[in-house]
Amino acid sequence: MAFHDDLLKQAIQLIHKEPKNPKQASLRRAVSTAYCALFHLLISESVANWGRVNMRAPLGRAFDHGTMKETSTRAENAKYPGASPQVVAKLRLVSRAFRELQHERHKADYNNTITWDRVTALGMVQQAQIAFSNWKSIRNEDIAQTYLVSLLVRHRD
């Protein structure tokens, strides 16, 4: 199983770790892990396009959370002339999930004034699951591949 798949599975396990009265640590880690799962899925998909297998791991270290967030924000609102509306909708869902999960991950990891509940945390994990599913159905489309490249390259006006 790929690392990103393991992370998503772990996020699901954390949500259900304590059947009654879940611990904040479990809920917060579930949200954070769901974001990391999507982050690593997109990096894995990006570097898989690199021909030199031994250079994929170092290339993966070049990705920046901020650049990926900016790219995802732009992708939500971009025009995709000639692309299938269904593919565009799925790409927008993936990019929105990335942006929103990153935001929620920051809250989960750094804002101790928030008390998480299982329903909210589960919603975040499910958003990652849906993003995984949508990504797998569009991963070979041109606009999806362009999105992957954009995740690594800072946008220039």
Side-chain angles (χ1 to χ4, degrees):
M1 186 176 285
F3 181 56
H4 51 267
D5 291 323
D6 286 343
L7 286 170
L8 187 58
K9 183 178 177 183
Q10 186 175 57
I12 295 164
Q13 290 169 341
L14 285 165
I15 285 291
H16 301 293
K17 186 173 183 195
E18 296 96 13
K20 295 181 182 184
N21 301 318
K23 294 180 180 174
Q24 285 297 296
S26 297
L27 298 176
R28 288 170 180 272
R29 290 306 313 151
V31 171
S32 186
T33 303
Y35 165 71
C36 288
L38 185 55
F39 175 78
H40 284 287
L41 169 68
L42 295 172
I43 291 173
S44 175
E45 291 285 305
S46 296
V47 302
N49 290 321
W50 191 259
R52 294 182 184 245
V53 175
N54 64 322
M55 297 305 296
R56 290 178 182 170
L59 178 61
R61 298 284 302 145
F63 285 81
D64 175 77
H65 294 271
T67 301
M68 293 174 75
K69 178 184 175 188
E70 290 170 15
T71 295
S72 295
T73 299
R74 278 193 316 280
E76 284 183 74
N77 303 308
K79 305 272 190 246
Y80 299 99
S84 158
Q86 294 85 0
V87 172
V88 171
K90 288 181 179 186
L91 179 61
R92 287 189 173 136
L93 285 172
V94 170
S95 60
R96 182 178 308 116
F98 182 85
R99 183 183 51 75
E100 290 177 357
L101 284 166
Q102 187 184 82
H103 178 74
E104 295 301 318
R105 178 245 174 189
H106 284 134
K107 286 174 27 183
D109 286 352
Y110 305 117
N111 188 343
N112 292 327
T113 65
I114 296 172
T115 301
W116 288 80
D117 60 76
R118 189 187 317 269
V119 172
T120 303
L122 179 60
M124 298 294 101
V125 173
Q126 289 172 332
Q127 187 175 22
Q129 289 177 298
I130 292 166
F132 267 56
S133 176
N134 282 319
W135 179 258
K136 288 175 183 168
S137 71
I138 64 166
R139 63 193 299 254
N140 294 317
E141 299 290 337
D142 286 343
I143 65 169
Q145 291 298 308
T146 299
Y147 173 69
L148 291 177
V149 171
S150 299
L151 292 172
L152 181 60
V153 180
R154 185 170 297 278
H155 179 72
R156 306 273 188 235
D157 289 326

